């Protein structure tokens, strides 16, 4: 084993074990939601924000990304 190899195996075993446990994971948002909606959901549910403000420049970029087919990707 290379230096640190055994530690990596222990980590891999721990990850496998954790994946086998039952969980109640639910995504925060639908992948079909707009980027603006995804960002607002993250801001509110993760950071406790009341909302978000998006400049027109950023709004244009987000629209461009969505029009290029990237809208269905997670943030």
């Amino acid at each position: 084993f290379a230096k640190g190899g055994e530690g990596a195996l222990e980590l891999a075993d721990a990850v496998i074990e954790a994946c086998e446990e039952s969980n109640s994971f639910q995504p925060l948002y639908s992948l079909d939601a707009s980027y603006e909606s995804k960002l607002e959901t993250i801001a509110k549910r993760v950071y406790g924000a009341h909302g978000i403000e998006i400049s027109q420049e950023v709004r244009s970029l987000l629209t461009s990304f969505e029009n290029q087919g990237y809208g269905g990707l997670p943030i």
Side-chain angles (χ1 to χ4, degrees), residues 39-59:
L39 290 169
E40 186 165 31
T41 298
I42 291 168
K44 288 180 174 181
R45 295 191 55 195
V46 176
Y47 298 106
H50 294 285
I52 60 171
E53 292 183 17
I54 299 177
S55 70
Q56 189 57 45
E57 181 180 357
V58 171
R59 192 178 308 275

Side-chain angles (χ1 to χ4, degrees), residues 16-33:
I16 291 169
E17 186 177 314
C19 290
E20 291 173 343
E21 294 178 5
S22 67
N23 66 69
S24 59
F25 173 79
Q26 293 288 324
L28 287 176
Y29 52 78
S30 166
L31 292 179
D32 295 334

Side-chain angles (χ1 to χ4, degrees), residues 60-73:
S60 294
L61 281 171
L62 295 176
T63 299
S64 174
F65 294 152
E66 289 173 344
N67 290 340
Q68 292 176 48
Y70 299 116
L73 297 175

